[in-house]
Amino acid sequence: MDKKNFAFDKVNFILLAVGMAIVVVGFLLMTGPGSSDTVYEPDIFSVRRIKVAPIVCLFGFVSMIYAVVRKPKN
């Protein structure tokens, strides 16, 4: 099969994988200790979970969109 028939090239797939890894890191930053009815954990309001992790996820999603929209070079 000819390479001209593919919509993505190798760089697109690499960018897509990097974007997916960034999103996974963002979701991992959102995790933390759980809370129950008897124990109050103030960690749920930390800057890492409220501001940093969503920005990292947004950056990952934007990079994935760029990887899909990017036109391969001939």
Side-chain angles (χ1 to χ4, degrees):
M1 198 175 221
D2 193 20
K3 282 191 170 189
K4 291 185 179 184
N5 292 336
F6 290 120
F8 288 169
D9 62 348
K10 185 178 179 180
V11 177
N12 288 80
F13 286 115
I14 291 172
L15 290 173
L16 198 60
V18 168
M20 182 70 75
I22 293 171
V23 170
V24 168
V25 167
F27 278 110
L28 288 175
L29 287 173
M30 282 188 217
T31 62
S35 61
S36 64
D37 294 335
T38 59
V39 178
Y40 173 70
E41 292 288 336
D43 187 45
I44 62 170
F45 301 112
S46 71
V47 174
R48 176 186 59 121
R49 295 174 90 178
I50 299 292
K51 294 182 181 176
V52 175
I55 291 171
V56 171
C57 286
L58 179 67
F59 181 69
F61 284 125
V62 168
S63 65
M64 288 173 59
I65 291 170
Y66 172 73
V68 170
V69 174
R70 181 185 169 277
K71 195 173 196 177
K73 297 187 180 184
N74 292 332

